[in-house]
Amino acid sequence: MSAIPRRFPRIGELAPLIRLRSPRLNRTARRLERALTVEDLRDLAKRRTPRAAFDYTDGAAEDEISLGRARQAFRDIEFHPAILRDVTDVDTTASVLGAPVALPFAIAPTGFTRLMHTAGELAGARAAAAAGIPFSLSTLGTASIEDVAQAAPAARRWFQLYMWHDRDRSMALLRRAADAGYDTLMVTVDCPVAGARRRDTRNGMSIPPALTPRTVADAALHPAWWFDLFTTEPLSFASLDRWSGTVAQYMDSMFDPSVTFDDLAWIKSRWPGRFVVKGIQTVADARAVVDLGADGIVLSNHGGRQLDRAPVPFQLLPEVARDVGRDTEILLDTGIMSGADIVAAVALGARCTLIGRAYLYGLMAGGQAGVHRVIDILAEQIRRTMRLLGVRDLAELSPQHVTQLQRLVPRR
């Protein structure tokens, strides 16, 4: 066998291979740039955030079976692409609850958000405004209704309500939200009591965080987070009272287990804008809420944070869409970790999805810049998935593009 002839490379041949980048002096920007997926941002968030705060976001109820099943359901899909379509340009805009959105997802309402990063809800609202997507503020938010409106006046703002024992104070929140220009009310109905979130119990999760030997040791690993905590406004529920105790104790003291459909109708009569009910987990309840006059429903098991082994919203979606899809707008959350997940949900009948954990992973990873990054990642994945499916706009998506492959089926 003859030897392969060798020669020295010429400078002109090496030059095109040498690509030097300008150095990024901002370490956060460098880290975010290297994050290509929501999972990458989750890894960053875990390294940068104390355990109790990270686990509050990352965890779910009891054995966390519901959350695992929800994420697995999105993995267990099969796409059916159409070939030879002109997908030079794709349109990701939609009309959601009476107004346009640039992308088919919104930022979900999340509680205790400044615990994840001091920028909290204000960072989320500003990033949402820049991206042209809605931002939802929780009753358990750590920025007030008015502060969010002032920080992001161009944002489309939704307000999420937990109905609590003091009805007058609940209605006062609605008046404040309406006066501040929030166009949609999202009433959460799956929380008669707090779910058993074992990670929080084991971590002694409280508001504000308690200084214990464990948290002091954790401070050494996350000095920037603790510096932000001690040098900014103390953590509290900006729309309600200050609280000193565990998260579970607060939620149990606030949630009203006596709320019924009659109460839901009463709340609707007090709200001037769009009315959405979050926490639907059966077809029958979806129909009942639509008959009550809801403008939209959110299929959600609260991110697996309430009843463990609850139905998986994504698996419930096709049946609900067939029953009530012509009568109301269907939104969906729980388990979404990629733009492909969002495309699959839209194909099966969702008008829009909500991102909660994914948004918080970005926030923990890099503040407002991290929220921008997670939105950019999801937007890029949505556009790529649409192109590979041969779809030019969201209206072209249909159940023909997606098959839900099932691991668990009911015993007959």
Side-chain angles (χ1 to χ4, degrees):
M1 182 181 295
S2 60
I4 297 174
R6 305 282 183 179
R7 66 178 178 82
F8 286 106
R10 299 180 179 89
I11 297 298
E13 295 170 338
L14 292 176
L17 304 178
I18 301 173
R19 299 176 184 177
L20 299 177
R21 290 186 177 183
S22 300
R24 282 262 194 173
L25 300 180
N26 186 310
R27 289 192 301 170
T28 298
R30 288 201 306 271
R31 285 192 292 262
L32 293 175
E33 189 176 65
R34 289 195 295 267
L36 303 181
T37 67
V38 173
E39 284 287 355
D40 291 342
L41 291 171
R42 178 186 178 276
D43 291 341
L44 272 175
K46 189 173 185 179
R47 293 199 298 269
R48 293 174 58 83
T49 312
R51 179 174 178 175
F54 178 80
D55 278 356
Y56 174 76
T57 295
D58 196 58
E62 301 186 28
D63 295 321
E64 305 189 359
I65 293 170
S66 286
L67 177 58
R69 287 179 179 173
R71 288 185 174 164
Q72 190 63 53
F74 281 110
R75 297 186 188 103
D76 290 345
I77 62 173
E78 181 177 83
F79 282 121
H80 306 294
I83 61 170
L84 299 176
R85 306 297 198 272
D86 181 357
V87 288
T88 305
D89 298 307
V90 294
D91 184 1
T92 62
T93 62
S95 175
V96 176
L97 298 170
V101 297
L103 295 159
F105 63 90
I107 290 181
T110 61
F112 322 118
T113 311
R114 282 189 57 230
L115 188 68
M116 317 313 154
H117 189 283
T118 189
E121 290 89 355
L122 303 188
R126 288 168 177 148
I133 64 173
F135 173 82
S136 311
L137 177 65
S138 170
T139 302
L140 298 179
T142 46
S144 74
I145 291 168
E146 294 79 10
D147 285 348
V148 170
Q150 184 177 10
R156 186 174 179 201
R157 300 179 302 279
W158 300 347
F159 182 69
Q160 176 271 336
L161 178 72
Y162 289 116
M163 192 64 178
W164 61 319
H165 294 282
D166 190 331
R167 303 299 171 90
D168 291 338
R169 296 185 71 186
S170 295
M171 294 304 101
L173 292 178
L174 263 60
R175 290 191 293 273
R176 286 171 58 189
D179 290 344
Y182 290 67
D183 64 65
T184 295
L185 177 67
M186 186 181 296
V187 181
T188 297
V189 295
D190 59 358
C191 296
V193 296
R197 302 173 193 174
R198 292 175 183 164
R199 290 203 220 182
D200 295 346
T201 302
R202 290 174 179 134
N203 290 329
M205 172 73 170
S206 64
I207 301 291
L211 286 176
T212 65
R214 182 173 179 174
T215 55
V216 169
D218 195 45
L221 301 176
H222 305 94
W225 186 94
W226 286 96
F227 176 79
D228 283 342
L229 175 69
F230 290 128
T231 59
T232 56
E233 182 70 19
L235 282 172
S236 64
F237 304 107
S239 296
L240 300 166
D241 289 336
R242 293 182 183 274
W243 175 263
S244 181
T246 68
V247 170
Q249 288 169 343
Y250 183 83
M251 295 171 77
D252 276 335
S253 74
M254 189 185 76
F255 294 158
D256 184 353
S258 72
V259 174
T260 67
F261 280 93
D262 290 339
D263 296 300
L264 198 63
W266 179 73
I267 296 169
K268 182 179 183 298
S269 71
R270 301 297 183 95
W271 176 253
R274 301 281 175 157
F275 185 78
V276 175
V277 180
K278 181 177 183 288
I280 302 300
Q281 298 172 69
T282 69
V283 177
D285 281 346
R287 171 49 65 187
V289 166
V290 170
D291 290 346
L292 185 142
D295 299 297
I297 61 173
V298 184
L299 298 182
S300 170
N301 64 23
H302 216 96
R305 298 163 69 81
Q306 285 299 105
L307 175 67
D308 205 10
R309 300 179 180 85
V312 174
F314 180 62
Q315 292 178 336
L316 187 64
L317 174 60
E319 189 177 0
V320 172
R322 286 192 295 269
D323 192 272
V324 304
R326 295 180 181 178
D327 303 322
T328 196
E329 295 185 27
I330 301 172
L331 288 71
L332 180 137
D333 73 10
T334 306
I336 292 170
M337 290 289 283
S338 75
D341 298 345
I342 295 170
V343 170
V346 174
L348 292 181
R351 180 70 63 90
C352 180
T353 63
L354 303 178
I355 58 166
R357 285 185 180 88
Y359 145 61
L360 293 177
Y361 293 146
L363 182 68
M364 288 186 285
Q368 185 172 329
V371 183
H372 285 298
R373 183 62 182 143
V374 75
I375 293 172
D376 288 345
I377 287 171
L378 294 174
E380 179 184 1
Q381 292 172 339
I382 288 169
R383 294 186 184 101
R384 183 189 308 115
T385 302
M386 290 174 64
R387 284 191 168 99
L388 292 173
L389 283 173
V391 169
R392 291 163 295 189
D393 61 64
L394 297 175
E396 292 183 17
L397 288 168
S398 76
Q400 295 180 346
H401 290 105
V402 180
T403 296
Q404 291 180 320
L405 306 176
Q406 290 188 317
R407 292 171 182 258
L408 302 174
V409 295
R411 174 180 286 180
R412 300 299 183 186

